[in-house]
Amino acid sequence: MNVGSNWFNSLAESLQSYRRYIPAALTLWTGTSLSLAAAALVWHSENQRMQVQFDEQADRLNVTLQQSINHNLEVLYSLQAFYNASTEVSRQDFKQFVQPALSRHSAIYSVNWSVRVPAAQKAAYEAAIRAEGFPAFQIYERTRDQKPIEAKVRSEYFPIIYREALEEDNKLIGFDVASSPERKAALEKSVNTGKIAASAQIKLVSNNQPGLQVFLPVPRRTTSLDNSVKNRENLMGVIAGLFQITHMVDFSLESLNLDSINFYLYDNSATGKERFLVRYDSQAKQLIDNPKLEKPELTNVRGEICQNPSACTRLLNVADRQWMLLVLPGNGYNGLKTHQGSLAICAIGLLMAGSLTIYLLMSLERTAKVEQQVYDRTIQLKERTAELETALKKQETQFKLIQTEKMSSLGQLVAGVAHEINNPVNFISGNLIHTGEYTRNLLELVEIYQQQYPNPTPEVQDKQKEIELEFIIEDLPKILKSMNLGAERIRQIVLSLRNFSRLDESEMKSVDIHEGIDSTLMILESRLKPQADFPGIQVIKEYGDLPLVECFAGQLNQVFMNILTNAIDVLYDAQNQKNLLGQSFSNSPFLPTIMIRTELLNSNCVCVRISDNGTGMTENVKKRLFEPFFTTKPVGKGTGLGLSLGYQIVDKHQGSLRCVSAPGEGTEFSIEVPVRQQSQQSVSQVSTAVGVS
């Protein structure tokens, strides 16, 4: 009895001692259960969100690819509309229309125009094309080893007549598209249905990349809507676009973030191995068009994301063909990174609330200190930036004022010099006329004396020999003529100075642009002539028929002067480099050349293009070309304000100043100004505010 009682008392005491751990155990169990339950819910939510994100990415990829395809095909539709709206499209018209499209659409490899030539008209058509400037033209086809041969006898031909491509190859002119088995089916379908049609996958000859040929027929303007086989005689021709599949897809990837997303592109309209087009490897971040490297990850199709394979496929329409897009998750798509939220919730639920609170308080305090430091530093940087901008504007204003004073002084000097020189030149030129007449009279009188007195006295004969009378009679008219040419030359130089500066004209006037350019060249003529170790600069002028332009002539002449001076300096530097390298480094002599072309762009816009064959400039220099104080010349050779002021002058005339240049390819400046200013008053106000007279 005592033993049982003692055991019971001992057990009660033990339970009493562990009783204080019950709340801790319940707290641990509850906290762990709640943390695991929350983590499980978040895990499930993350899986659903991952599925939604995958579907969104697949849809976005599908839409982007379809837009890229439609965007490229739209070029062919635009060209078709151009043909329908034109009575005749020349080779130059075709080139001008297609070239901008090629520069904007990297997926377009080439655009061709093929006409339908019946067999009976083949010889006559070949003769007509030869007469256009293609003496060796003939309609041909290729053998299996790509050798050109004369086209076989067929009922009709579709030779390439116009062609514009990224890689120009005039040898393709005359190739019969209908002779190619890879293209014939799509061509026939397009011609028979009168609608756009695309070929199966083909390999481009130049780079062996996958491509496809798309055909779009163009009926004659008088044809009916029916363009069936029986009405093929009403077919004008076929527009053919050759597209690079990889470039078409790569253009779409630029706007997408496809981390851990792979996709495969198939042609459902093809069969067998021809179905595969291209695949994207997210790990290598590259497109793979080799069928041997296709290797689709079919295990992922049956995975958690693609439980239904149709959920990972999308369909694309390419002309009359249907492509299939297979989108698959890549390695690591459904990894631990995807479930970071649920794992974090589980970990946070097991931490002590007090430690988390202390950590947050410490983090907030540290963050507040960092933000305050960043704010203070930002204020300091803004103040310093404002000071630098103010200093830069002040310096720029000072340079503009100096330039204004220089131009004002130049105007006064030119006006004074022109007035002072014109008077004596007119006096000399006017008297030379009378002097010539007097000289002729005296020479006639001497001739009469010689006839009347053929035997002069010895004293007269000695004097004739002493003064060389016969030489004087022959040379005196030449001297007077040379003096007259010199006086006329002085008058032209004075006139060029006045035409160049025009600083005495404070209002906008209608002037001849060509006159200003010629005056500028007259002033720079000494730098254009040959000198020691310099062959001189050849100036080629191609002037168009321009109307009078309403402008501040002196300011525009200053722009011409700055651009031409820079071109001369560049050509001098290029010749100096040529002299240093020696003739052994170049087989062809260097001929410094400046070309000036003018043209009327439209009814209210003229363009002046000044180009040189110098060394060109890099992209970094072009970006800063019109910045104030930026110059590539040595210290003391330039202020860096010439092109900056020129840009402002052209802008004040409501025009534009652009530069096209590349290293080793020379430089071209294009100056576009309106023929009539829309608001002459506003331009005058701006001109006065800047201080350019």
Side-chain angles (χ1 to χ4, degrees), residues 436-601:
E437 183 178 354
Y438 297 160
T439 301
R440 285 192 301 272
N441 294 334
L442 290 175
L443 293 178
E444 291 175 358
L445 179 61
V446 170
E447 184 178 359
I448 294 173
Y449 267 102
Q450 289 178 340
Q451 294 175 358
Q452 296 294 328
Y453 301 98
N455 299 315
T457 63
E459 182 180 359
V460 173
Q461 292 179 0
D462 294 340
K463 191 62 177 179
Q464 288 180 353
K465 293 180 180 179
E466 179 183 353
I467 65 175
E468 298 181 356
L469 179 61
E470 293 181 358
F471 177 77
I472 291 176
I473 294 174
E474 180 182 356
D475 192 53
L476 186 57
K478 297 180 180 179
I479 293 176
L480 293 175
K481 183 178 180 181
S482 176
M483 294 171 63
N484 193 17
L485 292 176
E488 183 63 26
R489 175 65 174 169
I490 295 174
R491 183 158 33 211
Q492 290 178 359
I493 293 175
V494 172
L495 180 61
S496 297
L497 288 173
R498 290 181 59 85
N499 290 337
F500 169 75
S501 68
R502 292 184 182 266
L503 297 177
D504 54 339
E505 299 178 2
S506 59
E507 296 181 356
M508 185 173 291
K509 294 184 178 180
S510 296
V511 298
D512 185 359
I513 291 292
H514 296 155
E515 183 179 293
I517 298 175
D518 292 337
S519 300
T520 307
L521 291 173
M522 174 75 74
I523 296 173
L524 296 173
E525 185 175 2
S526 61
R527 299 196 63 190
L528 301 174
K529 294 181 178 179
Q531 301 177 8
D533 297 331
F534 187 73
I537 299 175
Q538 180 184 8
V539 178
I540 301 175
K541 295 187 288 187
E542 296 181 359
Y543 289 168
D545 187 9
L546 302 184
L548 297 180
V549 178
E550 188 178 20
C551 64
F552 293 104
Q555 296 182 21
L556 279 187
N557 291 340
Q558 184 181 358
V559 177
F560 301 149
M561 173 68 77
N562 291 339
I563 295 176
L564 288 171
T565 302
N566 288 341
I568 293 173
D569 293 339
V570 168
L571 293 176
Y572 267 85
D573 292 341
Q575 181 63 34
N576 292 336
Q577 294 179 8
K578 180 79 172 180
N579 295 335
L580 292 176
L581 294 176
Q583 295 296 332
S584 60
F585 290 88
S586 177
N587 297 326
S588 59
F590 173 66
L591 179 60
T593 304
I594 294 177
M595 176 173 287
I596 305 175
R597 292 174 294 175
T598 62
E599 59 179 326
L600 183 65
L601 298 182

Side-chain angles (χ1 to χ4, degrees), residues 606-624:
V606 298
C607 179
V608 180
R609 306 182 192 276
I610 302 176
S611 59
D612 62 73
N613 61 342
T615 56
M617 62 184 72
T618 62
E619 286 295 328
N620 293 332
V621 174
K622 285 173 58 180
K623 291 179 181 178
R624 304 186 59 190

Side-chain angles (χ1 to χ4, degrees), residues 289-328:
D289 55 16
N290 190 349
K292 298 181 180 179
L293 302 178
E294 178 186 353
K295 298 179 181 179
E297 302 175 7
L298 298 179
T299 55
N300 284 336
V301 178
R302 298 186 296 270
E304 183 176 359
I305 295 178
C306 295
Q307 295 179 0
N308 182 8
S310 61
C312 294
T313 59
R314 303 292 188 274
L315 297 179
L316 300 170
N317 294 321
V318 183
D320 63 326
R321 302 183 74 85
Q322 188 180 75
W323 287 2
M324 183 184 74
L325 176 66
L326 175 62
V327 186
L328 301 176

